């Protein structure tokens, strides 16, 4: 993925350096403080209460879904609910099997090991993790050549919480080791408004309900994006307005950032415009779209496409991506003839021909 392009976008769901300073301040600490994902929370609360009642360590948990939805936050919430320590790492950070062995040997009973982007673990590291998750043992080879010996170390019962944005890239053996798999979906409008209002209270900035609604509308259903937009609107309100986030202030600030009422930014509109204007609405492949706008195809697939699919602006077909009539309407482009709706009285190809009338006989 083109990291430079993704990091420059205000509405990028990926974590930025500026987000880290306030993540701890705005992060919910308990499950009842976590807004949204109601079905996931209900299932997770049952899992936690059952483990606490049996005085056992929690089963291994995997959170998957688009970035910015709160997978890391939920891992911290689970640790707080279980009243245990949490150790945080990432798949790319564990380069050698020895790195993982060092982490595991320092785990205590009941502790949680949170692995972000778990699908990016190396194969050698995964082989060490399999017996550790299943049998709570660590197999280490000591020495080399004919004198090498296999040493098995017992580990305390701990919990692995994995997070991934690409579930399909997770190997089947690793996925099977997780006892509970939870998908995180984009948030509803009301949930995002509640998150924005709570964030404004933590930042001690006055906000009107209409201002929170406007920010939520353009946040793409992603809490991380909503809180980032809140900070940008707060800056605008303090410099160009009275300091209070009103609807007018939010609209002016977000328009200045070129984020429209549906949360689309310049890159989203460039992708849609390329499909419509350069390729007749599609179908067209991702590589071709990326080349036409000088962007990486991975950036389009991982960052741009999911939200456009959610809005119904794009369709995935076997031949490529196709712009829908909703995309034409949003960009105010006339719908071409091949998108015209068939007449109601036009017979289908698979509809049997009707019997002729008696008069025609």
């Amino acid at each position: 993925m083109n990291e430079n392009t993704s990091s420059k976008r205000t509405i990028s769901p990926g974590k930025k350096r500026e987000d880290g300073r306030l993540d701890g301040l705005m992060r919910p600490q308990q499950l009842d403080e976590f807004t949204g994902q109601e079905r996931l929370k209900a299932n997770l609360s049952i899992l936690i209460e059952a483990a606490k009642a049996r005085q056992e360590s929690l089963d291994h948990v995997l959170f998957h879904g688009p970035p910015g939805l709160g997978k890391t936050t939920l891992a911290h919430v689970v640790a707080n609910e279980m009243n245990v320590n949490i150790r945080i790492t990432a798949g790319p950070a564990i380069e050698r099997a020895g790195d993982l062995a060092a982490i595991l040997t320092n785990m205590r009973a009941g502790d949680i090991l949170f692995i972000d982007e778990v699908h990016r673990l190396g194969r050698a590291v995964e082989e060490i993790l399999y017996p550790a998750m299943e049998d709570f043992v660590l197999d280490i080879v000591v020495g080399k050549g004919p004198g090498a010996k296999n040493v098995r170390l017992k580990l305390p019962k701990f919990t692995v919480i994995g997070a991934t944005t690409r579930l399909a890239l997770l190997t089947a053996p690793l996925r099977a080791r997780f006892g509970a798999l939870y998908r995180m979906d984009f948030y509803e409008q009301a949930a995002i408004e509640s998150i924005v209002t709570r964030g404004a209270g933590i930042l001690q900035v006055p906000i009107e309900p209409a201002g929170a609604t406007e920010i939520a509308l353009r946040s793409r259903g992603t809490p991380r994006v909503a809180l980032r937009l809140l900070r940008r609107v707060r800056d605008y309100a303090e410099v160009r307005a009275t300091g209070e986030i009103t609807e007018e202030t939010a609209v002016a600030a977000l328009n200045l950032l070129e984020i429209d009422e549906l949360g689309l930014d310049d890159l989203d509109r460039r992708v849609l415009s390329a499909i419509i204007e350069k390729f007749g609405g599609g179908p067209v492949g991702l590589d071709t779209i990326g080349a036409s706008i000088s962007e990486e195809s991975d950036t389009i697939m991982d960052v741009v496409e999911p939200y456009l699919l959610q809005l119904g602006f794009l369709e995935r077909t076997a031949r490529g991506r196709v712009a829908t009539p909703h995309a034409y309407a949003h960009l105010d482009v006339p719908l071409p003839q091949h998108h015209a709706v068939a007449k109601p009285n036009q017979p289908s190809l698979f509809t049997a021909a009707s019997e002729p009338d008696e008069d025609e006989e």
Side-chain angles (χ1 to χ4, degrees):
M1 183 188 298
N2 189 336
E3 297 291 346
N4 291 332
T5 300
S6 180
S7 62
K8 291 178 182 178
R9 303 178 71 210
T10 304
I11 46 78
S12 171
K15 183 177 291 186
K16 295 185 178 183
R17 185 176 301 175
E18 64 185 49
D19 298 329
R21 295 194 297 266
L22 293 173
D23 268 359
L25 182 64
M26 295 188 174
R27 180 170 287 152
Q29 300 301 313
Q30 301 296 326
L31 200 58
D32 57 0
E33 298 175 4
F34 192 93
T35 304
Q37 308 291 342
E38 297 302 327
R39 182 177 298 177
L40 187 157
K41 285 168 52 180
N43 288 317
L44 194 58
S45 66
I46 294 174
L47 188 71
I48 292 171
E49 290 178 17
K52 291 170 70 175
R54 294 191 299 265
Q55 296 183 351
E56 297 177 352
S57 61
L58 200 67
D59 204 356
H60 303 303
V61 179
L62 178 66
F63 296 124
H64 63 97
L69 299 185
K71 294 184 287 293
T72 303
T73 298
L74 266 180
H76 283 83
V77 167
V78 170
N80 291 335
E81 292 283 355
M82 294 294 295
N83 196 25
V84 296
N85 296 322
I86 181 171
R87 297 175 184 270
I88 302 171
T89 186
I94 308 175
E95 297 180 353
R96 298 185 297 261
D99 298 336
L100 180 61
I103 295 173
L104 294 178
T105 52
N106 287 309
M107 299 289 290
R108 298 178 181 176
D111 279 0
I112 291 175
L113 174 61
F114 175 67
I115 306 177
D116 198 10
E117 296 301 315
V118 67
H119 66 272
R120 296 177 64 183
L121 285 172
R123 182 57 57 88
V125 176
E126 279 193 21
E127 294 295 335
I128 295 290
L129 192 58
Y130 294 157
M133 293 177 65
E134 193 167 12
D135 301 321
F136 300 103
V137 295
L138 184 61
D139 293 322
I140 301 176
V141 178
V142 179
K144 295 182 179 180
K149 295 181 180 180
N150 182 62
V151 178
R152 170 163 284 198
L153 301 177
K154 289 186 178 180
L155 298 172
K157 292 189 177 181
F158 64 97
T159 299
V160 174
I161 297 182
T164 178
T165 57
R166 305 285 294 277
L167 183 64
L169 297 184
L170 205 66
T171 60
L174 182 58
R175 189 187 309 141
R177 262 70 179 185
F178 289 99
L181 277 71
Y182 299 119
R183 171 172 174 78
M184 300 191 71
D185 295 311
F186 290 105
Y187 287 60
E188 297 180 356
Q189 173 72 16
I192 294 293
E193 289 181 20
S194 178
I195 291 171
V196 170
T197 303
R198 178 179 179 273
I202 294 174
L203 294 175
Q204 297 182 352
V205 54
I207 186 170
E208 292 183 353
T213 299
E214 193 62 37
I215 294 174
L217 283 171
R218 308 192 189 203
S219 65
R220 305 164 73 98
T222 306
R224 181 179 292 158
V225 175
L227 294 176
R228 189 181 299 145
L229 293 181
L230 171 64
R231 295 197 296 271
R232 299 290 75 79
V233 174
R234 177 194 61 174
D235 296 342
Y236 182 93
E238 291 176 351
V239 175
R240 298 283 182 88
T242 61
E244 182 182 11
I245 299 179
T246 62
E247 181 179 9
E248 294 77 12
T249 302
V251 170
L254 296 171
N255 287 343
L256 192 61
L257 293 171
E258 296 185 335
I259 300 171
D260 65 22
E261 63 276 5
L262 290 182
L264 303 186
D265 70 347
D266 179 64
L267 180 57
D268 298 313
R269 290 188 290 269
R270 281 165 54 204
V271 169
L272 289 177
S273 297
I275 296 174
I276 291 173
E277 297 173 3
K278 297 181 180 179
F279 305 104
V284 58
L286 280 180
D287 291 337
T288 305
I289 298 172
S292 69
I293 62 174
S294 300
E295 292 290 348
E296 297 288 340
S297 58
D298 286 347
T299 301
I300 298 173
M301 181 176 65
D302 294 337
V303 179
V304 178
E305 190 178 62
Y307 188 60
L308 295 181
L309 288 169
Q310 183 196 16
L311 291 177
F313 284 3
L314 277 186
E315 287 182 1
R316 281 178 176 169
T317 69
R319 297 175 58 194
R321 274 55 176 176
V322 177
T324 67
H326 297 295
Y328 284 86
H330 184 70
L331 296 181
D332 199 20
V333 177
L335 197 65
Q337 190 65 29
H338 65 268
H339 270 293
V341 180
K343 295 180 180 179
N345 59 354
Q346 183 177 353
S348 168
L349 180 65
F350 303 101
T351 303
S354 59
E355 297 294 334
D357 294 336
E358 294 182 358
D359 295 339
E360 294 179 357
E361 294 179 355

